[in-house]
Amino acid sequence: VGFQPILWEIIIPLLSFFIGSSNRIPSKEVLKIKGEEKKYYVLAPQDHHITIFIPVDNKQAVLKMRHVLSKEAIYKLIKAMPDNETIWIEDKNVLKQKYNNIIVNGNHEQLVKLIKTLYLQREKQLKLGKNFHVQDQQFLDTCEKILDDEFSTVLNIEPDQVVPFIINTINNSEESKNV
């Protein structure tokens, strides 16, 4: 019944991406597999043509699932963005491990800090006439996709409108502080 353990090792890392991207709260369904009824969470990412069934009693997989942010939480996160610290790490091995952990864990505050860090690092590299490292660009793209997908879903806007929305919200927040 269900997937073999080796398949779970492949699927579970995917879940953190799918769940962290554009899923709403998964539904629960009872499925009959080989004559046995079992409850499953049903995940259907909006931008993928797959459905993932997670047994409700699979604690390892369920721990990787999380609720999407509310509109209020998104606004709060956006308004805190200018004050976020950066988390640049010089040691590439440590950097890779830490940044992968941030992406897998899906903590929104850490994702925002990582995006800010990588964006500033990219700007610094470009000003020096250097190329931005491919691995750093991949981290940046992944983080942006996670937040763009979730923000666009919750705010009911297109993913390509997320960055302008964030900039506008920050600008409006700054203007209201100065009044």
Side-chain angles (χ1 to χ4, degrees), residues 16-23 47 66 68-69 99-100 102-108 111 114-115 139-153 162:
S16 60
F17 173 76
F18 289 133
I19 295 165
S21 60
S22 58
N23 278 298
D47 56 351
R66 64 174 177 77
V68 294
L69 291 173
Y99 291 2
N100 272 327
I102 289 170
I103 290 168
V104 168
N105 291 332
N107 177 293
H108 296 93
L111 287 168
L114 183 51
I115 289 170
F139 284 129
L140 180 58
D141 292 345
T142 301
C143 291
E144 286 178 335
K145 176 153 180 42
I146 291 168
L147 289 183
D148 286 355
D149 286 351
E150 185 165 344
F151 284 21
S152 67
T153 299
V162 171

PDB file of all heavy atoms in Angstrom, residues 16-23 47 66 68-69 99-100 102-108 111 114-115 139-153 162:
ATOM      1  N   SER A  16       8.355  19.827  -0.508  1.00  0.00           N
ATOM      2  CA  SER A  16       8.647  21.125   0.066  1.00  0.00           C
ATOM      3  C   SER A  16       8.618  22.200  -1.020  1.00  0.00           C
ATOM      4  O   SER A  16       8.213  23.316  -0.774  1.00  0.00           O
ATOM      5  CB  SER A  16       9.979  21.127   0.799  1.00  0.00           C
ATOM      6  OG  SER A  16      11.010  20.792  -0.080  1.00  0.00           O
ATOM      7  N   PHE A  17       9.015  21.837  -2.255  1.00  0.00           N
ATOM      8  CA  PHE A  17       8.913  22.800  -3.339  1.00  0.00           C
ATOM      9  C   PHE A  17       7.460  23.009  -3.735  1.00  0.00           C
ATOM     10  O   PHE A  17       6.980  24.117  -3.829  1.00  0.00           O
ATOM     11  CB  PHE A  17       9.719  22.331  -4.553  1.00  0.00           C
ATOM     12  CG  PHE A  17       9.512  23.212  -5.747  1.00  0.00           C
ATOM     13  CD1 PHE A  17      10.123  24.445  -5.809  1.00  0.00           C
ATOM     14  CD2 PHE A  17       8.682  22.828  -6.780  1.00  0.00           C
ATOM     15  CE1 PHE A  17       9.922  25.278  -6.899  1.00  0.00           C
ATOM     16  CE2 PHE A  17       8.486  23.647  -7.872  1.00  0.00           C
ATOM     17  CZ  PHE A  17       9.107  24.869  -7.919  1.00  0.00           C
ATOM     18  N   PHE A  18       6.744  21.914  -3.953  1.00  0.00           N
ATOM     19  CA  PHE A  18       5.356  22.041  -4.378  1.00  0.00           C
ATOM     20  C   PHE A  18       4.504  22.713  -3.317  1.00  0.00           C
ATOM     21  O   PHE A  18       3.736  23.606  -3.594  1.00  0.00           O
ATOM     22  CB  PHE A  18       4.756  20.669  -4.702  1.00  0.00           C
ATOM     23  CG  PHE A  18       5.302  20.067  -5.956  1.00  0.00           C
ATOM     24  CD1 PHE A  18       5.722  18.757  -5.980  1.00  0.00           C
ATOM     25  CD2 PHE A  18       5.409  20.805  -7.112  1.00  0.00           C
ATOM     26  CE1 PHE A  18       6.226  18.185  -7.134  1.00  0.00           C
ATOM     27  CE2 PHE A  18       5.925  20.250  -8.276  1.00  0.00           C
ATOM     28  CZ  PHE A  18       6.328  18.937  -8.278  1.00  0.00           C
ATOM     29  N   ILE A  19       4.654  22.277  -2.073  1.00  0.00           N
ATOM     30  CA  ILE A  19       3.838  22.838  -1.008  1.00  0.00           C
ATOM     31  C   ILE A  19       4.248  24.266  -0.749  1.00  0.00           C
ATOM     32  O   ILE A  19       3.436  25.119  -0.472  1.00  0.00           O
ATOM     33  CB  ILE A  19       3.949  21.972   0.263  1.00  0.00           C
ATOM     34  CG1 ILE A  19       3.353  20.600  -0.036  1.00  0.00           C
ATOM     35  CG2 ILE A  19       3.234  22.607   1.440  1.00  0.00           C
ATOM     36  CD1 ILE A  19       3.702  19.546   0.960  1.00  0.00           C
ATOM     37  N   GLY A  20       5.527  24.531  -0.890  1.00  0.00           N
ATOM     38  CA  GLY A  20       6.014  25.877  -0.687  1.00  0.00           C
ATOM     39  C   GLY A  20       5.705  26.789  -1.849  1.00  0.00           C
ATOM     40  O   GLY A  20       5.874  27.983  -1.754  1.00  0.00           O
ATOM     41  N   SER A  21       5.263  26.250  -2.961  1.00  0.00           N
ATOM     42  CA  SER A  21       4.998  27.119  -4.086  1.00  0.00           C
ATOM     43  C   SER A  21       3.536  27.528  -4.117  1.00  0.00           C
ATOM     44  O   SER A  21       3.126  28.383  -3.369  1.00  0.00           O
ATOM     45  CB  SER A  21       5.452  26.469  -5.393  1.00  0.00           C
ATOM     46  OG  SER A  21       4.783  25.263  -5.634  1.00  0.00           O
ATOM     47  N   SER A  22       2.729  26.894  -4.907  1.00  0.00           N
ATOM     48  CA  SER A  22       1.407  27.465  -5.134  1.00  0.00           C
ATOM     49  C   SER A  22       0.264  26.556  -4.722  1.00  0.00           C
ATOM     50  O   SER A  22      -0.774  26.548  -5.347  1.00  0.00           O
ATOM     51  CB  SER A  22       1.273  27.830  -6.613  1.00  0.00           C
ATOM     52  OG  SER A  22       1.477  26.692  -7.395  1.00  0.00           O
ATOM     53  N   ASN A  23       0.434  25.828  -3.670  1.00  0.00           N
ATOM     54  CA  ASN A  23      -0.660  24.985  -3.206  1.00  0.00           C
ATOM     55  C   ASN A  23      -1.522  25.701  -2.192  1.00  0.00           C
ATOM     56  O   ASN A  23      -1.042  26.447  -1.372  1.00  0.00           O
ATOM     57  CB  ASN A  23      -0.123  23.727  -2.503  1.00  0.00           C
ATOM     58  CG  ASN A  23       0.252  22.681  -3.499  1.00  0.00           C
ATOM     59  OD1 ASN A  23      -0.599  22.214  -4.220  1.00  0.00           O
ATOM     60  ND2 ASN A  23       1.513  22.344  -3.542  1.00  0.00           N
ATOM     61  N   ASP A  47       0.540  25.013 -10.969  1.00  0.00           N
ATOM     62  CA  ASP A  47       1.310  25.169 -12.199  1.00  0.00           C
ATOM     63  C   ASP A  47       1.972  23.870 -12.659  1.00  0.00           C
ATOM     64  O   ASP A  47       2.887  23.885 -13.458  1.00  0.00           O
ATOM     65  CB  ASP A  47       2.351  26.277 -12.046  1.00  0.00           C
ATOM     66  CG  ASP A  47       3.285  26.045 -10.871  1.00  0.00           C
ATOM     67  OD1 ASP A  47       3.030  25.133 -10.066  1.00  0.00           O
ATOM     68  OD2 ASP A  47       4.272  26.788 -10.757  1.00  0.00           O
ATOM     69  N   ARG A  66       2.825  22.810   4.820  1.00  0.00           N
ATOM     70  CA  ARG A  66       2.532  24.011   5.588  1.00  0.00           C
ATOM     71  C   ARG A  66       1.389  24.759   4.924  1.00  0.00           C
ATOM     72  O   ARG A  66       1.109  24.583   3.741  1.00  0.00           O
ATOM     73  CB  ARG A  66       3.766  24.901   5.707  1.00  0.00           C
ATOM     74  CG  ARG A  66       4.246  25.437   4.386  1.00  0.00           C
ATOM     75  CD  ARG A  66       5.378  26.420   4.562  1.00  0.00           C
ATOM     76  NE  ARG A  66       5.882  26.879   3.288  1.00  0.00           N
ATOM     77  CZ  ARG A  66       5.285  27.778   2.521  1.00  0.00           C
ATOM     78  NH1 ARG A  66       4.157  28.326   2.903  1.00  0.00           N
ATOM     79  NH2 ARG A  66       5.807  28.127   1.367  1.00  0.00           N
ATOM     80  N   VAL A  68      -0.420  28.095   3.416  1.00  0.00           N
ATOM     81  CA  VAL A  68       0.034  29.303   2.740  1.00  0.00           C
ATOM     82  C   VAL A  68      -0.235  30.497   3.650  1.00  0.00           C
ATOM     83  O   VAL A  68      -1.069  30.428   4.560  1.00  0.00           O
ATOM     84  CB  VAL A  68      -0.660  29.499   1.370  1.00  0.00           C
ATOM     85  CG1 VAL A  68      -0.253  28.414   0.397  1.00  0.00           C
ATOM     86  CG2 VAL A  68      -2.159  29.559   1.513  1.00  0.00           C
ATOM     87  N   LEU A  69       0.470  31.580   3.399  1.00  0.00           N
ATOM     88  CA  LEU A  69       0.293  32.788   4.202  1.00  0.00           C
ATOM     89  C   LEU A  69      -1.068  33.414   3.953  1.00  0.00           C
ATOM     90  O   LEU A  69      -1.633  33.290   2.865  1.00  0.00           O
ATOM     91  CB  LEU A  69       1.372  33.813   3.834  1.00  0.00           C
ATOM     92  CG  LEU A  69       2.795  33.500   4.233  1.00  0.00           C
ATOM     93  CD1 LEU A  69       3.744  34.537   3.637  1.00  0.00           C
ATOM     94  CD2 LEU A  69       2.934  33.474   5.740  1.00  0.00           C
ATOM     95  N   TYR A  99      21.688  27.776   2.321  1.00  0.00           N
ATOM     96  CA  TYR A  99      20.682  28.258   1.391  1.00  0.00           C
ATOM     97  C   TYR A  99      19.725  27.137   0.982  1.00  0.00           C
ATOM     98  O   TYR A  99      18.521  27.359   0.851  1.00  0.00           O
ATOM     99  CB  TYR A  99      21.343  28.892   0.168  1.00  0.00           C
ATOM    100  CG  TYR A  99      22.057  30.202   0.461  1.00  0.00           C
ATOM    101  CD1 TYR A  99      22.135  30.741   1.742  1.00  0.00           C
ATOM    102  CD2 TYR A  99      22.680  30.901  -0.546  1.00  0.00           C
ATOM    103  CE1 TYR A  99      22.795  31.929   1.998  1.00  0.00           C
ATOM    104  CE2 TYR A  99      23.352  32.101  -0.300  1.00  0.00           C
ATOM    105  CZ  TYR A  99      23.403  32.603   0.979  1.00  0.00           C
ATOM    106  OH  TYR A  99      24.057  33.782   1.212  1.00  0.00           O
ATOM    107  N   ASN A 100      20.244  25.930   0.791  1.00  0.00           N
ATOM    108  CA  ASN A 100      19.362  24.785   0.512  1.00  0.00           C
ATOM    109  C   ASN A 100      18.398  24.553   1.675  1.00  0.00           C
ATOM    110  O   ASN A 100      17.207  24.293   1.459  1.00  0.00           O
ATOM    111  CB  ASN A 100      20.178  23.520   0.258  1.00  0.00           C
ATOM    112  CG  ASN A 100      20.576  23.370  -1.184  1.00  0.00           C
ATOM    113  OD1 ASN A 100      19.867  23.767  -2.091  1.00  0.00           O
ATOM    114  ND2 ASN A 100      21.747  22.798  -1.402  1.00  0.00           N
ATOM    115  N   ILE A 102      17.282  26.734   3.825  1.00  0.00           N
ATOM    116  CA  ILE A 102      16.280  27.803   3.826  1.00  0.00           C
ATOM    117  C   ILE A 102      15.183  27.482   2.818  1.00  0.00           C
ATOM    118  O   ILE A 102      13.992  27.608   3.117  1.00  0.00           O
ATOM    119  CB  ILE A 102      16.932  29.171   3.525  1.00  0.00           C
ATOM    120  CG1 ILE A 102      17.782  29.613   4.724  1.00  0.00           C
ATOM    121  CG2 ILE A 102      15.873  30.218   3.177  1.00  0.00           C
ATOM    122  CD1 ILE A 102      18.651  30.831   4.458  1.00  0.00           C
ATOM    123  N   ILE A 103      15.574  27.051   1.641  1.00  0.00           N
ATOM    124  CA  ILE A 103      14.590  26.744   0.596  1.00  0.00           C
ATOM    125  C   ILE A 103      13.728  25.549   0.994  1.00  0.00           C
ATOM    126  O   ILE A 103      12.504  25.585   0.866  1.00  0.00           O
ATOM    127  CB  ILE A 103      15.299  26.518  -0.755  1.00  0.00           C
ATOM    128  CG1 ILE A 103      15.856  27.849  -1.256  1.00  0.00           C
ATOM    129  CG2 ILE A 103      14.357  25.892  -1.776  1.00  0.00           C
ATOM    130  CD1 ILE A 103      16.815  27.740  -2.426  1.00  0.00           C
ATOM    131  N   VAL A 104      14.343  24.498   1.499  1.00  0.00           N
ATOM    132  CA  VAL A 104      13.596  23.298   1.879  1.00  0.00           C
ATOM    133  C   VAL A 104      12.650  23.577   3.047  1.00  0.00           C
ATOM    134  O   VAL A 104      11.509  23.127   3.056  1.00  0.00           O
ATOM    135  CB  VAL A 104      14.560  22.133   2.217  1.00  0.00           C
ATOM    136  CG1 VAL A 104      13.825  20.984   2.877  1.00  0.00           C
ATOM    137  CG2 VAL A 104      15.248  21.652   0.951  1.00  0.00           C
ATOM    138  N   ASN A 105      13.115  24.355   4.025  1.00  0.00           N
ATOM    139  CA  ASN A 105      12.268  24.652   5.187  1.00  0.00           C
ATOM    140  C   ASN A 105      11.136  25.606   4.849  1.00  0.00           C
ATOM    141  O   ASN A 105      10.109  25.596   5.506  1.00  0.00           O
ATOM    142  CB  ASN A 105      13.113  25.199   6.340  1.00  0.00           C
ATOM    143  CG  ASN A 105      14.025  24.143   6.915  1.00  0.00           C
ATOM    144  OD1 ASN A 105      13.732  22.952   6.861  1.00  0.00           O
ATOM    145  ND2 ASN A 105      15.158  24.573   7.451  1.00  0.00           N
ATOM    146  N   GLY A 106      11.324  26.456   3.841  1.00  0.00           N
ATOM    147  CA  GLY A 106      10.246  27.322   3.382  1.00  0.00           C
ATOM    148  C   GLY A 106       9.850  28.428   4.341  1.00  0.00           C
ATOM    149  O   GLY A 106       8.761  28.966   4.225  1.00  0.00           O
ATOM    150  N   ASN A 107      10.732  28.803   5.271  1.00  0.00           N
ATOM    151  CA  ASN A 107      10.429  29.900   6.187  1.00  0.00           C
ATOM    152  C   ASN A 107      10.425  31.205   5.390  1.00  0.00           C
ATOM    153  O   ASN A 107      11.429  31.586   4.799  1.00  0.00           O
ATOM    154  CB  ASN A 107      11.472  29.933   7.311  1.00  0.00           C
ATOM    155  CG  ASN A 107      11.264  31.087   8.259  1.00  0.00           C
ATOM    156  OD1 ASN A 107      11.417  32.246   7.891  1.00  0.00           O
ATOM    157  ND2 ASN A 107      10.915  30.751   9.486  1.00  0.00           N
ATOM    158  N   HIS A 108       9.292  31.873   5.392  1.00  0.00           N
ATOM    159  CA  HIS A 108       9.124  33.058   4.552  1.00  0.00           C
ATOM    160  C   HIS A 108      10.119  34.166   4.888  1.00  0.00           C
ATOM    161  O   HIS A 108      10.667  34.803   3.990  1.00  0.00           O
ATOM    162  CB  HIS A 108       7.695  33.586   4.663  1.00  0.00           C
ATOM    163  CG  HIS A 108       6.686  32.630   4.147  1.00  0.00           C
ATOM    164  ND1 HIS A 108       6.040  31.730   4.951  1.00  0.00           N
ATOM    165  CD2 HIS A 108       6.232  32.420   2.887  1.00  0.00           C
ATOM    166  CE1 HIS A 108       5.222  31.009   4.216  1.00  0.00           C
ATOM    167  NE2 HIS A 108       5.318  31.399   2.961  1.00  0.00           N
ATOM    168  N   LEU A 111      13.414  33.193   3.497  1.00  0.00           N
ATOM    169  CA  LEU A 111      13.402  33.302   2.037  1.00  0.00           C
ATOM    170  C   LEU A 111      13.571  34.749   1.595  1.00  0.00           C
ATOM    171  O   LEU A 111      14.323  35.042   0.666  1.00  0.00           O
ATOM    172  CB  LEU A 111      12.103  32.724   1.465  1.00  0.00           C
ATOM    173  CG  LEU A 111      11.972  31.207   1.489  1.00  0.00           C
ATOM    174  CD1 LEU A 111      10.536  30.790   1.179  1.00  0.00           C
ATOM    175  CD2 LEU A 111      12.944  30.550   0.525  1.00  0.00           C
ATOM    176  N   LEU A 114      17.119  35.821   2.131  1.00  0.00           N
ATOM    177  CA  LEU A 114      17.979  35.212   1.115  1.00  0.00           C
ATOM    178  C   LEU A 114      17.832  35.936  -0.226  1.00  0.00           C
ATOM    179  O   LEU A 114      18.828  36.207  -0.905  1.00  0.00           O
ATOM    180  CB  LEU A 114      17.678  33.719   0.975  1.00  0.00           C
ATOM    181  CG  LEU A 114      18.542  32.930   0.003  1.00  0.00           C
ATOM    182  CD1 LEU A 114      20.029  33.144   0.256  1.00  0.00           C
ATOM    183  CD2 LEU A 114      18.195  31.448   0.087  1.00  0.00           C
ATOM    184  N   ILE A 115      16.616  36.269  -0.603  1.00  0.00           N
ATOM    185  CA  ILE A 115      16.393  37.013  -1.845  1.00  0.00           C
ATOM    186  C   ILE A 115      17.118  38.356  -1.786  1.00  0.00           C
ATOM    187  O   ILE A 115      17.821  38.745  -2.725  1.00  0.00           O
ATOM    188  CB  ILE A 115      14.883  37.208  -2.120  1.00  0.00           C
ATOM    189  CG1 ILE A 115      14.249  35.875  -2.509  1.00  0.00           C
ATOM    190  CG2 ILE A 115      14.652  38.261  -3.205  1.00  0.00           C
ATOM    191  CD1 ILE A 115      12.731  35.903  -2.577  1.00  0.00           C
ATOM    192  N   PHE A 139      19.647  29.806  -6.770  1.00  0.00           N
ATOM    193  CA  PHE A 139      19.037  30.010  -5.451  1.00  0.00           C
ATOM    194  C   PHE A 139      18.045  31.169  -5.496  1.00  0.00           C
ATOM    195  O   PHE A 139      16.931  31.072  -4.989  1.00  0.00           O
ATOM    196  CB  PHE A 139      20.102  30.292  -4.380  1.00  0.00           C
ATOM    197  CG  PHE A 139      20.862  29.087  -3.917  1.00  0.00           C
ATOM    198  CD1 PHE A 139      22.247  29.099  -3.893  1.00  0.00           C
ATOM    199  CD2 PHE A 139      20.212  27.949  -3.469  1.00  0.00           C
ATOM    200  CE1 PHE A 139      22.967  27.997  -3.456  1.00  0.00           C
ATOM    201  CE2 PHE A 139      20.912  26.838  -3.026  1.00  0.00           C
ATOM    202  CZ  PHE A 139      22.302  26.869  -3.016  1.00  0.00           C
ATOM    203  N   LEU A 140      18.458  32.267  -6.111  1.00  0.00           N
ATOM    204  CA  LEU A 140      17.598  33.445  -6.214  1.00  0.00           C
ATOM    205  C   LEU A 140      16.323  33.120  -6.986  1.00  0.00           C
ATOM    206  O   LEU A 140      15.210  33.453  -6.539  1.00  0.00           O
ATOM    207  CB  LEU A 140      18.360  34.595  -6.881  1.00  0.00           C
ATOM    208  CG  LEU A 140      17.607  35.913  -7.057  1.00  0.00           C
ATOM    209  CD1 LEU A 140      17.123  36.467  -5.726  1.00  0.00           C
ATOM    210  CD2 LEU A 140      18.495  36.927  -7.777  1.00  0.00           C
ATOM    211  N   ASP A 141      16.464  32.458  -8.125  1.00  0.00           N
ATOM    212  CA  ASP A 141      15.298  32.098  -8.937  1.00  0.00           C
ATOM    213  C   ASP A 141      14.334  31.196  -8.173  1.00  0.00           C
ATOM    214  O   ASP A 141      13.111  31.380  -8.236  1.00  0.00           O
ATOM    215  CB  ASP A 141      15.733  31.399 -10.228  1.00  0.00           C
ATOM    216  CG  ASP A 141      16.470  32.313 -11.188  1.00  0.00           C
ATOM    217  OD1 ASP A 141      16.415  33.551 -11.023  1.00  0.00           O
ATOM    218  OD2 ASP A 141      17.124  31.772 -12.112  1.00  0.00           O
ATOM    219  N   THR A 142      14.865  30.228  -7.444  1.00  0.00           N
ATOM    220  CA  THR A 142      14.019  29.303  -6.682  1.00  0.00           C
ATOM    221  C   THR A 142      13.258  30.036  -5.591  1.00  0.00           C
ATOM    222  O   THR A 142      12.046  29.852  -5.431  1.00  0.00           O
ATOM    223  CB  THR A 142      14.871  28.167  -6.074  1.00  0.00           C
ATOM    224  OG1 THR A 142      15.528  27.469  -7.136  1.00  0.00           O
ATOM    225  CG2 THR A 142      14.010  27.198  -5.278  1.00  0.00           C
ATOM    226  N   CYS A 143      13.954  30.875  -4.837  1.00  0.00           N
ATOM    227  CA  CYS A 143      13.293  31.635  -3.765  1.00  0.00           C
ATOM    228  C   CYS A 143      12.211  32.554  -4.322  1.00  0.00           C
ATOM    229  O   CYS A 143      11.106  32.640  -3.779  1.00  0.00           O
ATOM    230  CB  CYS A 143      14.313  32.469  -2.994  1.00  0.00           C
ATOM    231  SG  CYS A 143      15.454  31.524  -1.996  1.00  0.00           S
ATOM    232  N   GLU A 144      12.543  33.250  -5.404  1.00  0.00           N
ATOM    233  CA  GLU A 144      11.566  34.147  -6.007  1.00  0.00           C
ATOM    234  C   GLU A 144      10.341  33.385  -6.503  1.00  0.00           C
ATOM    235  O   GLU A 144       9.215  33.848  -6.342  1.00  0.00           O
ATOM    236  CB  GLU A 144      12.201  34.933  -7.155  1.00  0.00           C
ATOM    237  CG  GLU A 144      13.134  36.015  -6.679  1.00  0.00           C
ATOM    238  CD  GLU A 144      13.807  36.772  -7.814  1.00  0.00           C
ATOM    239  OE1 GLU A 144      13.943  36.213  -8.935  1.00  0.00           O
ATOM    240  OE2 GLU A 144      14.207  37.928  -7.578  1.00  0.00           O
ATOM    241  N   LYS A 145      10.559  32.220  -7.086  1.00  0.00           N
ATOM    242  CA  LYS A 145       9.426  31.433  -7.583  1.00  0.00           C
ATOM    243  C   LYS A 145       8.521  31.006  -6.434  1.00  0.00           C
ATOM    244  O   LYS A 145       7.292  31.083  -6.538  1.00  0.00           O
ATOM    245  CB  LYS A 145       9.902  30.206  -8.358  1.00  0.00           C
ATOM    246  CG  LYS A 145       8.724  29.321  -8.784  1.00  0.00           C
ATOM    247  CD  LYS A 145       8.996  28.541  -9.996  1.00  0.00           C
ATOM    248  CE  LYS A 145       7.865  27.665 -10.441  1.00  0.00           C
ATOM    249  NZ  LYS A 145       6.529  28.194 -10.384  1.00  0.00           N
ATOM    250  N   ILE A 146       9.118  30.569  -5.344  1.00  0.00           N
ATOM    251  CA  ILE A 146       8.321  30.141  -4.190  1.00  0.00           C
ATOM    252  C   ILE A 146       7.441  31.290  -3.708  1.00  0.00           C
ATOM    253  O   ILE A 146       6.226  31.126  -3.541  1.00  0.00           O
ATOM    254  CB  ILE A 146       9.231  29.626  -3.051  1.00  0.00           C
ATOM    255  CG1 ILE A 146       9.879  28.307  -3.457  1.00  0.00           C
ATOM    256  CG2 ILE A 146       8.435  29.461  -1.755  1.00  0.00           C
ATOM    257  CD1 ILE A 146      11.004  27.859  -2.528  1.00  0.00           C
ATOM    258  N   LEU A 147       8.051  32.452  -3.496  1.00  0.00           N
ATOM    259  CA  LEU A 147       7.267  33.588  -2.995  1.00  0.00           C
ATOM    260  C   LEU A 147       6.316  34.131  -4.056  1.00  0.00           C
ATOM    261  O   LEU A 147       5.170  34.464  -3.731  1.00  0.00           O
ATOM    262  CB  LEU A 147       8.190  34.683  -2.477  1.00  0.00           C
ATOM    263  CG  LEU A 147       8.925  34.376  -1.177  1.00  0.00           C
ATOM    264  CD1 LEU A 147       9.747  35.569  -0.732  1.00  0.00           C
ATOM    265  CD2 LEU A 147       7.990  33.928  -0.071  1.00  0.00           C
ATOM    266  N   ASP A 148       6.766  34.234  -5.308  1.00  0.00           N
ATOM    267  CA  ASP A 148       5.879  34.729  -6.368  1.00  0.00           C
ATOM    268  C   ASP A 148       4.642  33.855  -6.501  1.00  0.00           C
ATOM    269  O   ASP A 148       3.523  34.367  -6.612  1.00  0.00           O
ATOM    270  CB  ASP A 148       6.599  34.780  -7.715  1.00  0.00           C
ATOM    271  CG  ASP A 148       7.600  35.914  -7.825  1.00  0.00           C
ATOM    272  OD1 ASP A 148       7.688  36.739  -6.892  1.00  0.00           O
ATOM    273  OD2 ASP A 148       8.313  35.966  -8.857  1.00  0.00           O
ATOM    274  N   ASP A 149       4.825  32.552  -6.496  1.00  0.00           N
ATOM    275  CA  ASP A 149       3.681  31.643  -6.636  1.00  0.00           C
ATOM    276  C   ASP A 149       2.713  31.781  -5.468  1.00  0.00           C
ATOM    277  O   ASP A 149       1.496  31.861  -5.652  1.00  0.00           O
ATOM    278  CB  ASP A 149       4.148  30.189  -6.735  1.00  0.00           C
ATOM    279  CG  ASP A 149       4.767  29.858  -8.079  1.00  0.00           C
ATOM    280  OD1 ASP A 149       4.695  30.688  -9.005  1.00  0.00           O
ATOM    281  OD2 ASP A 149       5.331  28.760  -8.200  1.00  0.00           O
ATOM    282  N   GLU A 150       3.262  31.804  -4.257  1.00  0.00           N
ATOM    283  CA  GLU A 150       2.375  31.883  -3.095  1.00  0.00           C
ATOM    284  C   GLU A 150       1.697  33.243  -3.000  1.00  0.00           C
ATOM    285  O   GLU A 150       0.492  33.332  -2.785  1.00  0.00           O
ATOM    286  CB  GLU A 150       3.153  31.597  -1.814  1.00  0.00           C
ATOM    287  CG  GLU A 150       2.246  31.545  -0.603  1.00  0.00           C
ATOM    288  CD  GLU A 150       2.895  30.913   0.606  1.00  0.00           C
ATOM    289  OE1 GLU A 150       3.936  30.239   0.473  1.00  0.00           O
ATOM    290  OE2 GLU A 150       2.339  31.091   1.700  1.00  0.00           O
ATOM    291  N   PHE A 151       2.459  34.321  -3.171  1.00  0.00           N
ATOM    292  CA  PHE A 151       1.879  35.660  -3.092  1.00  0.00           C
ATOM    293  C   PHE A 151       0.815  35.844  -4.171  1.00  0.00           C
ATOM    294  O   PHE A 151      -0.254  36.385  -3.907  1.00  0.00           O
ATOM    295  CB  PHE A 151       2.958  36.731  -3.248  1.00  0.00           C
ATOM    296  CG  PHE A 151       3.825  36.960  -2.036  1.00  0.00           C
ATOM    297  CD1 PHE A 151       3.966  36.011  -1.036  1.00  0.00           C
ATOM    298  CD2 PHE A 151       4.526  38.134  -1.905  1.00  0.00           C
ATOM    299  CE1 PHE A 151       4.771  36.230   0.071  1.00  0.00           C
ATOM    300  CE2 PHE A 151       5.336  38.369  -0.800  1.00  0.00           C
ATOM    301  CZ  PHE A 151       5.453  37.425   0.181  1.00  0.00           C
ATOM    302  N   SER A 152       1.106  35.408  -5.394  1.00  0.00           N
ATOM    303  CA  SER A 152       0.142  35.601  -6.483  1.00  0.00           C
ATOM    304  C   SER A 152      -1.146  34.824  -6.226  1.00  0.00           C
ATOM    305  O   SER A 152      -2.238  35.302  -6.523  1.00  0.00           O
ATOM    306  CB  SER A 152       0.748  35.223  -7.838  1.00  0.00           C
ATOM    307  OG  SER A 152       1.004  33.837  -7.915  1.00  0.00           O
ATOM    308  N   THR A 153      -1.013  33.632  -5.663  1.00  0.00           N
ATOM    309  CA  THR A 153      -2.196  32.829  -5.362  1.00  0.00           C
ATOM    310  C   THR A 153      -3.055  33.502  -4.294  1.00  0.00           C
ATOM    311  O   THR A 153      -4.255  33.667  -4.464  1.00  0.00           O
ATOM    312  CB  THR A 153      -1.785  31.419  -4.888  1.00  0.00           C
ATOM    313  OG1 THR A 153      -1.063  30.784  -5.947  1.00  0.00           O
ATOM    314  CG2 THR A 153      -2.995  30.580  -4.533  1.00  0.00           C
ATOM    315  N   VAL A 162       3.935  40.276  -8.923  1.00  0.00           N
ATOM    316  CA  VAL A 162       4.300  40.232  -7.500  1.00  0.00           C
ATOM    317  C   VAL A 162       5.353  41.270  -7.165  1.00  0.00           C
ATOM    318  O   VAL A 162       5.210  42.020  -6.196  1.00  0.00           O
ATOM    319  CB  VAL A 162       4.743  38.810  -7.076  1.00  0.00           C
ATOM    320  CG1 VAL A 162       5.323  38.816  -5.675  1.00  0.00           C
ATOM    321  CG2 VAL A 162       3.558  37.848  -7.152  1.00  0.00           C
TER     322      VAL A 162
END
